[in-house]
């Protein structure tokens, strides 16, 4: 009997252990330990075709959950490598004119993971990968990786991988227009990885994510989300609701990146906006808060950002809308002020490419978020991905963005493309997200939304809001009675005087007409 | 209630009170015009009194010849009036032109007094004192150097004077000779007809009071003798002398049938200078005569002093104060809780202004036109607002003159 009981106890412990282990696995997959990456670059390549690739790489790394620190080669301080588990050296100059002895010395001692992008890979990497490079005479190439492909215009001095050791993992195939043998795009072996070039806005940007994923050791498969951008209180709200119906019927869950309001929450327009967002939420939409537009970094009152953001989150919460994270241009995440005052409430973020950098207190390190998603315009995505291919593996979470300010015809075409695509779109709220402010706590756990502990009931009913509203509270005015009486007296007096004047004009007209006619 | 509220209340009461006073004056003036039109001008019984017409002039070469010619052509017995032109320290060719005229009309009683910087050049009052010393008439008439009086102008004035011994002076009208030149002269034409003459007519009808307008008037020699001549410090010598006439127990009558045509400023700059000078002059006279408010012997003057005080101080400060409070309130510097009148009432007040001004025009030949309605509307938003600046600038200049003890000089209206 005793032994039976012991076995039962062991069995229970095993069952409990398994249950507990399953939960841990799912959380661990989402909350992997952030890798600390040092990105050393020689030049921002301003004015060249490579301009913006440093920012693009930072965005890619951050979206993979890495904490990224950037430093220019000339600014590199001796001994820094030791602090990082991963180091990327990015060479944008075809013929490097500057070499950092400090970096070279540190590299000899460095035992962490090393990735080199661009020209002049160090000897140790070349040796480890048995890397041979070759000149590519034609400027136009096609890069094919997994189910993706895209054309790339090579820059002057860009080389391709000619050969590597057999045991090296290679990524993608590059075909030149001349039809020579294919070259791999990326190569990785052990702690070393190499990519011959990396450009912003072409297939190399996307292909690099496959190499980086393996190099960072990211295990989990990425999801594909659909995100609607540029949603404002003054957007066409009827159109937004119709669009959310369209997506719902097509079975596409979506994210709505909403521009925040900072005041006049009681106005009918604001309530109509909230009602629309609530409706979209009920149609499988996940609401995110977009960063407000920065008009000026000099004169604006910076002290109000935190309060403003919290008030908007509270406004949403009050209307049973669960904002699950933030969307912002890349520079917001690389700015101490914006991260502390405008983004500190969120554990989930979607990083958008920089459009106009308006930094206030820029920093060289981007903190990792437990959930970060990489955004790509649907227009660009259509260039890489084929509609009629099933994507086998996604290196990271991506949000395919649709800009609501775009031409309606283009919007329609993009929606149709997404709907017909064989891609399976994920529901953002199905993963875990948490937003905490001084007043509110909003969570998404396994698809369940909670606002301040209360489960959000998704209701499709849209309440139409009356336009009647007292916009300005009438102040209690002094001497109101006196003025009201006087007002009446004066009106009567003036009307009487006007009548008298009319009579006078009439008399004068008759009298003087006769007189002056003479 | 805040301090701003109290100031606003004060402004509102002042503005509305003055508006009502103006309405009453227009109605009374209009009735007087109708009554006067029906009434025949009395005849001068017996021999016409001898009149000395004085014309002070300072660099008036462009207009003086026409003025003197029209004065010589008056339908008053030629042997019963003399013309004295005081060509005061002029640097233009006025003296030559006047000498030619004198030669041309050798048989007429035309006296030319040429002064220089030592003997003259100290302003209109001083010039009038110089002319007065050489005058012989029991009545003194004064015309500005840019006037073209109608033939009957002097006769009407003298007839009224001889008909009523209680009159110290009789004033006529001046009209705008160049009214059709531009918008500014049209504004001035309407302004003189409405705010000058209709108001004068109203004051005469209600209180038997008028203010000498500076030109086209006659007054008794005995009055000038009694007050010791014109105050050389006063630029608005007309207002000053009006007060003196009241104090001597006389009245001043307005006879709108006596008309002279005057050249008015055609540019904003000249208009601004002229009006600032008038404003400053009137302020001088008001301040000087404030004690009369408490003087029993000056009962008649009280209304005029109060009237001028209201316009130059009360209305001016009220308008500036209410405008300043409105602007500061809009900018968020001042908070007012005071209730206001309805927008409808303010709209009615503007309509009242437009109709009231138009009423004044009905009595004049060729002025009852729809185009004048539009000009009045335009006048409300432009000319009337400029008046506030003029009055404020006049006050500022007056204070500056007191502080720096500046002397009064000829500051004549520029001719074109």
């Amino acid at each position: 009997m005793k032994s039976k009981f012991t076995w039962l106890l062991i069995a229970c412990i095993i069952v409990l252990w398994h249950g507990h282990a399953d939960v841990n696995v799912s959380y661990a997959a989402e909350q992997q330990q952030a890798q600390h990456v040092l990105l050393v670059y020689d030049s921002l390549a301003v004015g060249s075709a490579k301009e913006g690739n440093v920012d693009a790489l930072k965005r890619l790394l951050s979206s993979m959950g890495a904490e990224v620190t950037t430093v220019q080669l000339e600014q590199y301080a001796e001994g820094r490598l030791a602090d990082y588990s991963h180091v990327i050296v990015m060479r944008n100059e075809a013929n490097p004119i500057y070499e950092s002895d400090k970096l070279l010395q540190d590299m000899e001692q460095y035992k962490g993971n090393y990735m080199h992008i661009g020209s002049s890979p160090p000897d140790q990497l070349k040796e480890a990968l048995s890397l041979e490079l070759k000149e590519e005479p034609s400027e136009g190439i096609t890069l094919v990786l997994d189910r993706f492909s895209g054309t790339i215009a090579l820059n002057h001095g860009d080389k391709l991988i000619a050969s590597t050791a057999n045991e090296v993992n290679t990524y993608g195939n590059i075909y030149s227009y001349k039809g020579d043998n294919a070259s791999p795009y990326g190569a990785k072996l052990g702690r070393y990885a190499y990519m011959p070039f990396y450009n912003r806005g072409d297939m190399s940007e996307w292909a690099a994510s496959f190499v980086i994923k393996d190099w960072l050791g990211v295990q989990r498969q990425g999801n594909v989300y659909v995100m609607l951008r540029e949603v404002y209180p003054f957007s066409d709200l009827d159109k937004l609701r119709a669009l959310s119906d369209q997506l719902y019927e097509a079975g596409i869950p979506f994210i709505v990146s909403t521009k925040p309001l900072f005041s006049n929450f009681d106005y009918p327009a604001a309530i109509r906006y909230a009602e629309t967002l609530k409706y979209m939420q009920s149609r499988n939409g996940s609401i995110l808060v977009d960063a407000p537009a920065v008009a000026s970094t000099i004169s604006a009152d910076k002290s109000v950002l935190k309060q403003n953001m919290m008030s908007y989150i509270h406004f949403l919460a009050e209307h049973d809308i669960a904002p699950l994270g933030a969307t912002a241009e890349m520079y917001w995440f690389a700015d101490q002020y914006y991260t502390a005052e405008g983004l500190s409430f969120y554990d989930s973020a979607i990083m958008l490419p920089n459009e106009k950098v308006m930094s206030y207190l820029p920093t060289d390190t981007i903190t990792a978020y437990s959930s970060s998603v990489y955004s790509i315009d649907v227009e660009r995505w259509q260039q890489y991905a084929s509609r009629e291919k099933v994507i086998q593996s996604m290196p990271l979470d991506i949000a395919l963005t649709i800009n609501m300010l775009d031409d309606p015809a283009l919007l329609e075409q993009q929606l149709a493309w997404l709907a017909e695509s064989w891609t399976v779109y994920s529901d953002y709220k199905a993963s875990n997200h948490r937003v905490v402010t001084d007043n509110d706590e909003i969570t998404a756990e396994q698809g369940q939304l909670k606002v301040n502990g209360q489960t959000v009931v998704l209701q499709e009913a849209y309440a139409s809001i009356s336009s009647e509203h007292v916009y300005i509270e009438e102040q209690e005015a002094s001497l109101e009675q006196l003025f009201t009486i006087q007002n009446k007296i004066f009106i009567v007096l003036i009307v009487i005087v006007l009548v008298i004047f009319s009579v006078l004009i009439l008399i004068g007209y008759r009298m003087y007409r006769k007189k002056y006619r003479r | 209630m805040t301090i701003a509220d109290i100031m606003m209340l004060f402004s509102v009461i002042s503005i509305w009170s003055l508006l009502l006073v103006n309405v009453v004056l227009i109605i009374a003036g209009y009735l007087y015009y109708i009554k006067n039109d029906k009434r025949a001008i009395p005849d001068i019984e017996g021999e016409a009194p001898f009149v000395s017409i004085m014309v002070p002039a300072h660099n008036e070469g462009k207009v003086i010849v026409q003025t003197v010619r029209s004065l010589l052509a008056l339908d008053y017995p030629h042997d019963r009036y003399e013309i004295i032109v005081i060509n005061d320290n002029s640097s233009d060719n006025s003296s030559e032109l006047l000498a030619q005229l004198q030669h041309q009309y050798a048989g007429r009683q035309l006296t030319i007094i040429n002064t220089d910087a030592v003997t003259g050049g100290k302003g209109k009052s001083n010039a009038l004192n110089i002319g007065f010393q050489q005058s012989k008439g029991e009545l003194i008439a004064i015309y500005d150097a840019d006037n073209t009086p109608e033939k009957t102008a002097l006769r009407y004035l003298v007839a009224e004077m001889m008909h009523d011994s209680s009159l110290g002076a009789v004033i006529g009208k001046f009209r705008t000779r160049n009214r059709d030149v531009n918008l500014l002269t049209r504004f001035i034409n309407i302004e003189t007809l409405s705010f000058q003459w209709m108001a004068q007519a109203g004051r005469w009808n209600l209180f038997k009071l008028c203010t000498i307008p500076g030109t086209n008037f006659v007054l008794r020699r005995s009055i000038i003798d009694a007050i010791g001549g014109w105050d050389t410090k006063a630029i608005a010598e007309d207002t000053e002398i009006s007060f003196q006439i009241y104090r001597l127990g006389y009245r001043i009558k307005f006879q709108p049938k006596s008309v002279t045509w005057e050249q008015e400023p055609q540019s904003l700059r000249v208009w601004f200078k002229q009006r600032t000078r008038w404003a400053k002059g009137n302020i001088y006279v008001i301040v000087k005569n404030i004690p009369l408010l408490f003087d029993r012997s000056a009962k008649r003057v009280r209304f005029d002093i109060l009237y001028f005080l209201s316009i130059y101080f009360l209305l001016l400060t009220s308008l500036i104060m209410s405008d300043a409070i409105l602007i500061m309130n809009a900018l968020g510097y001042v908070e007012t809780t005071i209730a206001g009148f309805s927008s409808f009432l303010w709209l009615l007040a503007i309509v009242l202004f437009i109709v009231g001004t138009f009423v004044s025009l009905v009595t004049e030949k060729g002025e009852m036109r729809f185009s004048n309605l539009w000009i009045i509307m335009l006048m409300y938003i432009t000319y009337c607002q400029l008046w506030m600046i003029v009055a404020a600038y006049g006050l500022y200049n007056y204070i500056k003159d007191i502080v720096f003890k500046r002397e009064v000089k000829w500051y004549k209206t520029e001719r074109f």
Side-chain angles (χ1 to χ4, degrees):
Chain A
M1 181 72 195
K2 189 184 173 187
S3 72
K4 272 186 184 173
F5 181 74
T6 308
W7 278 112
L8 191 66
L9 197 66
I10 290 168
C12 280
I13 289 169
I14 290 168
V15 167
L16 281 173
W17 171 257
H18 267 272
H20 184 67
D22 277 351
V23 171
N24 271 351
V25 165
S26 65
Y27 270 97
E30 291 189 354
Q31 296 178 343
Q32 249 173 2
Q33 184 66 40
Q35 307 286 10
H36 288 213
V37 179
L38 178 69
L39 170 57
V40 185
Y41 62 94
D42 61 348
S43 158
L44 290 171
V46 176
S48 79
K50 290 186 176 176
E51 181 175 351
N53 67 354
V54 175
D55 274 349
L57 186 59
K58 271 162 42 179
R59 193 161 74 92
L60 189 62
L61 290 162
S62 300
S63 301
M64 286 188 174
E67 186 178 298
V68 190
T69 303
T70 44
V71 63
Q72 201 184 5
L73 193 60
E74 290 176 34
Q75 314 282 316
Y76 177 79
E78 196 174 351
R80 274 192 87 171
L81 283 194
D83 301 337
Y84 300 90
S85 59
H86 292 71
V87 172
I88 299 176
V89 172
M90 189 181 216
R91 287 282 194 180
N92 276 333
E93 302 279 355
N95 301 303
I97 47 171
Y98 180 80
E99 284 296 348
S100 168
D101 293 337
K102 292 172 199 161
L103 180 67
L104 289 173
Q105 281 168 17
D106 285 355
M107 283 294 290
E108 284 173 17
Q109 308 297 321
Y110 185 63
K111 300 293 176 208
N113 298 289
Y114 177 73
M115 171 180 272
H116 192 94
I117 300 173
S119 60
S120 312
D123 292 342
Q124 62 206 92
L125 182 135
K126 280 163 90 173
E127 281 169 23
L129 301 178
S130 302
L131 189 68
E132 292 293 334
L133 300 177
K134 65 176 181 182
E135 299 277 350
E136 172 54 47
S138 60
E139 288 182 349
I141 56 163
T142 301
L143 170 54
V144 180
L145 197 154
D146 200 48
R147 300 299 172 105
F148 305 96
S149 68
T151 55
I152 294 169
L154 286 179
N155 297 299
H156 174 71
D158 282 349
K159 291 179 178 169
L160 298 183
I161 297 172
S163 65
T164 57
N166 286 336
E167 63 272 28
V168 167
N169 279 336
T170 59
Y171 296 83
N173 287 305
I174 291 174
Y175 301 96
S176 73
Y177 290 168
K178 288 180 179 173
D180 294 346
N181 288 337
S183 315
Y185 169 66
K188 180 192 165 288
L189 181 67
R191 64 190 189 98
Y192 291 109
Y194 177 72
M195 288 184 283
F197 55 87
Y198 176 79
N199 300 329
R200 182 193 178 191
D202 67 22
M203 180 61 196
S204 64
E205 186 181 355
W206 178 238
S209 62
F210 287 83
V211 188
I212 293 169
K213 181 201 172 213
D214 285 352
W215 179 69
L216 284 176
V218 176
Q219 299 299 320
R220 66 187 285 265
Q221 285 296 310
N223 297 305
V224 182
Y225 302 105
V226 171
M227 179 166 81
L228 308 180
R229 274 191 72 192
E230 306 296 342
V231 172
Y232 298 85
F234 47 82
S235 297
D236 184 342
L237 302 179
D238 295 336
K239 194 174 128 191
L240 280 175
R241 287 196 300 278
L243 185 69
S244 54
D245 285 342
Q246 205 179 330
L247 289 165
Y248 183 74
E249 278 155 26
I252 303 175
F254 57 95
I255 297 165
V256 191
S257 166
T258 68
K259 281 284 177 195
L261 288 178
F262 293 152
S263 55
N264 302 327
F265 295 121
D266 55 335
Y267 280 23
I271 299 168
R272 251 180 246 127
Y273 184 49
E275 283 295 319
T276 303
L277 296 181
K278 193 157 80 174
Y279 182 82
M280 294 177 92
Q281 182 176 257
S282 75
R283 306 307 269 173
N284 239 349
S286 298
I287 309 299
L288 266 68
V289 178
D290 197 15
V294 181
S296 164
T297 54
I298 303 163
S299 58
D301 182 4
K302 298 288 183 295
S303 60
V304 294
L305 179 63
K306 191 168 196 169
Q307 201 53 45
N308 282 343
M309 295 301 280
M310 288 202 299
S311 64
Y312 179 62
I313 292 169
H314 184 66
F315 166 70
L316 293 177
E318 273 189 324
H319 287 87
D320 277 343
I321 301 164
L324 302 180
T327 62
E329 282 178 55
M330 180 59 200
Y331 75 88
W332 268 66
F333 297 94
D335 190 294
Q336 286 177 55
Y337 171 74
Y338 296 137
T339 48
E341 301 289 310
L343 299 170
S344 59
F345 330 105
Y346 313 101
D347 71 347
S348 305
I350 297 182
M351 296 181 186
L352 308 170
N354 283 338
E355 282 171 14
K356 187 183 179 192
V357 176
M358 298 286 278
S359 296
Y360 184 60
L361 282 174
T363 171
D364 56 5
T365 302
I366 299 173
T367 317
Y369 281 76
S370 63
S371 162
S372 40
V373 177
Y374 187 73
S375 74
I376 302 178
D377 287 349
V378 172
E379 206 176 350
R380 178 159 295 160
W381 184 247
Q382 288 171 330
Q383 294 165 13
Y384 311 150
S386 168
R387 193 168 50 179
E388 285 153 7
K389 283 180 185 168
V390 176
I391 297 168
Q392 298 291 331
S393 65
M394 286 297 292
L396 76 166
D397 288 344
I398 63 163
L400 302 178
T401 59
I402 295 176
N403 190 331
M404 296 306 294
L405 298 179
D406 276 346
D407 174 42
L410 178 68
L411 215 67
E412 212 42 56
Q413 179 264 321
Q414 290 178 344
L415 284 170
W417 192 92
L418 290 173
E420 287 166 19
S421 168
W422 293 4
T423 308
V424 176
Y425 303 105
S426 303
D427 190 355
Y428 190 75
K429 62 177 172 290
S431 46
N432 297 333
H433 308 282
R434 189 159 176 256
V435 178
V436 181
T437 69
D438 292 351
N439 310 311
D440 303 285
E441 182 175 1
I442 296 123
T443 55
E445 282 177 18
Q446 331 271 287
Q448 190 180 34
L449 300 178
K450 280 187 180 171
V451 171
N452 298 323
Q454 299 289 315
T455 303
V456 175
V457 180
L458 301 177
Q459 284 180 333
E460 311 166 8
Y462 174 76
S464 61
I465 305 301
S466 161
S467 295
E468 278 177 27
H469 178 76
V470 181
Y471 284 93
I472 297 167
E473 282 284 322
E474 244 179 78
Q475 278 185 336
E476 203 176 308
S478 42
L479 301 174
E480 182 115 40
Q481 207 179 356
L482 174 75
F483 273 85
T484 314
I485 296 168
Q486 274 202 346
N487 205 57
K488 283 177 189 159
I489 294 171
F490 276 134
I491 287 174
V492 171
L493 262 178
I494 291 178
V495 170
I496 292 170
V497 169
L498 284 175
V499 170
I500 293 172
F501 278 170
S502 307
V503 172
L504 291 183
I505 289 175
L506 206 68
I507 295 171
Y509 177 70
R510 295 184 63 173
M511 188 176 149
Y512 289 98
R513 193 180 53 168
K514 273 188 221 161
K515 182 185 165 189
Y516 293 132
R517 197 186 282 163
R518 269 184 250 142
Chain B
M1 268 172 76
T2 62
I3 294 173
D5 284 342
I6 295 165
M7 286 163 80
M8 198 69 191
L9 185 67
F10 172 77
S11 303
V12 168
I13 292 172
S14 306
I15 292 167
W16 278 90
S17 308
L18 285 166
L19 184 73
L20 287 181
V21 167
N22 207 41
V23 165
V24 170
L25 286 180
I26 287 175
I27 297 173
Y30 194 90
L31 295 175
Y32 175 68
Y33 261 67
I34 293 174
K35 195 168 76 183
N36 194 53
D37 262 324
K38 288 178 180 165
R39 170 183 169 266
I41 303 274
D43 291 327
I44 301 169
E45 288 166 11
E47 193 185 22
F50 192 83
V51 182
S52 294
I53 301 175
M54 298 209 292
V55 184
H58 175 65
N59 289 336
E60 300 281 12
K62 283 181 186 167
V63 290
I64 193 72
V65 174
Q66 194 190 348
T67 303
V68 175
R69 278 188 204 281
S70 54
L71 287 171
L72 286 165
L74 292 171
D75 72 351
Y76 198 79
H78 287 186
D79 59 328
R80 301 304 298 159
Y81 75 101
E82 63 172 346
I83 301 166
I84 301 170
V85 181
I86 308 104
N87 181 31
D88 194 35
N89 193 29
S90 293
S91 53
D92 63 355
N93 61 346
S94 297
S95 61
E96 288 84 12
L97 293 169
L98 287 165
Q100 279 171 21
L101 266 178
Q102 204 172 23
H103 182 71
Q104 200 180 341
Y105 295 92
R108 300 294 300 274
Q109 299 183 62
L110 172 62
T111 309
I112 311 294
I113 304 170
N114 291 307
T115 68
D116 55 24
V118 180
T119 54
K122 293 184 183 69
K124 188 175 173 183
S125 296
N126 186 54
L128 289 171
N129 283 335
I130 292 169
F132 183 69
Q133 280 166 12
Q134 293 204 18
S135 65
K136 301 179 297 230
E138 57 183 290
L139 296 179
I140 305 292
I142 292 168
Y143 283 92
D144 278 345
D146 58 352
N147 275 210
T148 311
E150 290 180 0
K151 282 195 172 186
T152 54
L154 183 66
R155 185 163 57 84
Y156 287 170
L157 295 177
V158 174
E160 289 290 355
M161 183 76 110
M162 300 318 288
H163 188 69
D164 187 348
S165 59
S166 70
L167 297 177
V170 181
I171 64 169
K173 251 191 328 203
F174 61 78
R175 294 287 315 275
T176 309
R177 189 162 66 191
N178 52 341
R179 69 170 177 194
D180 292 330
V181 171
N182 58 30
L183 201 59
L184 178 67
T185 55
R186 284 175 210 274
F187 285 161
I188 294 172
N189 178 46
I190 292 171
E191 181 205 9
T192 47
L193 288 176
S194 178
F195 299 97
Q196 171 77 270
W197 300 126
M198 205 43 84
Q200 290 268 35
R203 285 161 66 212
W204 166 255
N205 201 10
L206 291 174
F207 310 106
K208 299 290 175 260
L209 279 175
C210 277
T211 311
I212 289 172
T215 187
N216 195 25
F217 67 91
V218 292
L219 76 168
R220 292 179 195 277
R221 181 179 195 90
S222 56
I223 291 174
I224 307 294
D225 284 332
I227 61 175
W230 279 265
D231 177 359
T232 50
K233 280 186 182 168
I235 326 170
E237 71 293 330
D238 335 314
T239 317
E240 168 69 18
I241 212 124
S242 306
F243 286 175
Q244 301 285 8
I245 292 169
Y246 298 142
R247 289 202 71 191
L248 291 171
Y250 288 108
R251 292 183 303 180
I252 302 169
K253 185 175 183 175
F254 174 45
Q255 176 46 265
K257 287 179 180 169
S258 167
V259 178
T260 185
W261 294 82
E262 195 173 66
Q263 182 82 12
E264 296 294 352
Q266 291 179 193
S267 78
L268 207 60
R269 188 181 59 84
V270 175
W271 174 85
F272 189 81
K273 270 176 143 180
Q274 185 199 53
R275 295 307 164 97
T276 313
R277 189 184 79 212
W278 290 2
K280 190 174 85 172
N282 280 330
I283 291 164
Y284 168 85
V285 176
I286 300 160
V287 173
K288 182 182 163 185
N289 290 293
I290 284 176
L292 294 184
L293 280 176
F294 313 100
D295 189 336
R296 281 192 177 182
S297 69
K299 265 194 299 186
R300 285 163 181 252
V301 198
R302 277 183 199 149
F303 176 81
D304 255 20
I305 295 177
L306 282 173
Y307 183 71
F308 279 107
L309 266 177
S310 321
I311 288 180
Y312 283 98
F313 291 97
L314 201 61
L315 182 62
L316 180 67
T317 45
S318 298
L319 287 172
I320 292 174
M321 210 149 71
S322 60
D323 281 4
I325 291 172
L326 275 177
I327 293 168
M328 285 168 77
N329 189 34
L331 293 173
Y333 293 121
V334 165
E335 196 155 321
T336 53
T337 59
I338 196 163
F341 290 127
S342 68
S343 307
F344 178 66
L345 183 63
W346 287 112
L347 183 76
L348 271 183
I350 295 169
V351 172
L352 184 70
F353 170 86
I354 293 166
V355 177
T357 310
F358 190 72
V359 166
S360 321
L361 305 184
V362 174
T363 55
E364 299 294 333
K365 189 180 181 181
E367 298 292 352
M368 194 176 172
R369 291 173 295 172
F370 267 109
S371 62
N372 271 339
L373 261 182
W374 301 117
I375 291 172
I376 296 167
M377 286 182 203
L378 199 61
M379 196 173 164
Y380 177 77
I381 52 172
T382 54
Y383 194 81
C384 296
Q385 312 307 317
L386 277 176
W387 178 85
M388 200 165 76
I389 300 169
V390 163
Y393 191 63
L395 184 63
Y396 163 75
N397 275 340
Y398 169 76
I399 294 166
K400 215 164 78 173
D401 284 0
I402 290 179
V403 173
F404 296 108
K405 293 185 175 140
R406 285 204 303 203
E407 252 188 75
V408 177
K409 284 182 186 164
W410 264 107
Y411 199 75
K412 68 177 273 306
T413 307
E414 289 171 45
R415 305 284 168 221
F416 16 81

